[in-house]
Amino acid sequence: MGDIKQIVYEGDWLRLVKIGHWESCERTHGQGMAVIIIAVTPDDDVLFVEQFRVPLDARTIEMPAGLVGDDHAHDTLEDAARRELIEETGWSPGKVEVLLVGPTSSGMSNERIAFVRARALTKVGEGGGVDNENITVHSVPRREAPAWLMRKQAEGFELDLKLWAGLWMIEHNPDGSPAD
């Protein structure tokens, strides 16, 4: 593009920038990376988290997720996924696998998210998040998950659209081959 980036505003977590006529938002930590964790318990329940999201002024249903490098400068995608899964849900993964990395809203933000599949889960705590995140953990039978999500939407919850990609990647790799 060749235009100079102008920082319009910078806060603790985000900055608003203008490049030419284009305004966008950037994360200030971890090169704009985040993780979303696809996790299924040994009882074949999918782990979802519920929390209030200020920008939406609503409670949301999401898969466990978090920023990379927000508190740990040398964070890897795998480290962030392990930490966030334990903090948010109380489940520790024996194995994590990065499946796919891409932008979340390419016209608005530099944020990229990595889909991470967590396997061999062990319950190690209650979850609920840190720093007053006030997360409610939902463990939903995998076969009932899409219908459960639609019921939550009917109840007024906002649903992260990445949920459906995450549900698909429980059983598939991004190229369509079966997950091992």
Side-chain angles (χ1 to χ4, degrees):
M1 232 167 117
D3 292 321
I4 296 172
K5 182 190 299 188
Q6 173 189 5
I7 297 175
V8 177
Y9 172 81
E10 184 163 347
D12 293 335
W13 300 100
L14 299 172
R15 76 176 61 92
L16 179 62
V17 299
K18 189 169 186 174
I19 303 170
H21 73 282
W22 200 270
E23 296 173 341
S24 64
C25 185
E26 295 180 344
R27 292 231 178 249
T28 60
H29 299 80
Q31 293 81 49
M33 284 300 307
V35 291
I36 181 171
I37 303 107
I38 304 158
V40 180
T41 71
D43 290 334
D44 204 30
D45 289 345
V46 181
L47 295 176
F48 297 106
V49 293
E50 169 190 331
Q51 62 185 315
F52 181 80
R53 292 295 195 173
V54 172
L56 295 172
D57 191 30
R59 295 202 62 78
T60 65
I61 302 294
E62 307 167 15
M63 285 183 168
L67 300 177
V68 178
D70 55 346
D71 290 325
H72 307 82
H74 301 291
D75 237 359
T76 65
L77 298 175
E78 293 86 354
D79 291 341
R82 283 184 189 92
R83 180 184 66 254
E84 293 292 342
L85 186 63
I86 292 168
E87 287 176 0
E88 293 191 3
T89 70
W91 286 89
S92 178
K95 177 182 176 190
V96 293
E97 176 186 12
V98 176
L99 301 175
L100 193 61
V101 177
T104 57
S105 182
S106 58
M108 195 217 43
S109 174
N110 74 330
E111 182 181 66
R112 288 178 180 80
I113 197 157
F115 277 92
V116 179
R117 188 185 296 137
R119 300 270 177 109
L121 302 186
T122 305
K123 187 74 168 158
V124 296
E126 293 305 310
V130 296
D131 299 328
N132 300 315
E133 286 180 306
N134 197 23
I135 291 171
T136 301
V137 181
H138 295 281
S139 189
V140 180
R142 182 163 46 115
R143 299 282 177 232
E144 298 171 19
W148 180 83
L149 288 169
M150 296 314 296
R151 283 194 305 275
K152 297 309 272 183
Q153 184 180 48
E155 292 171 17
F157 287 84
E158 293 280 348
L159 303 182
D160 182 345
L161 294 179
K162 294 181 295 299
L163 290 168
W164 279 266
L167 288 173
W168 187 80
M169 284 190 262
I170 291 171
E171 297 179 7
H172 302 88
N173 294 315
D175 67 1
S177 63
D180 54 354

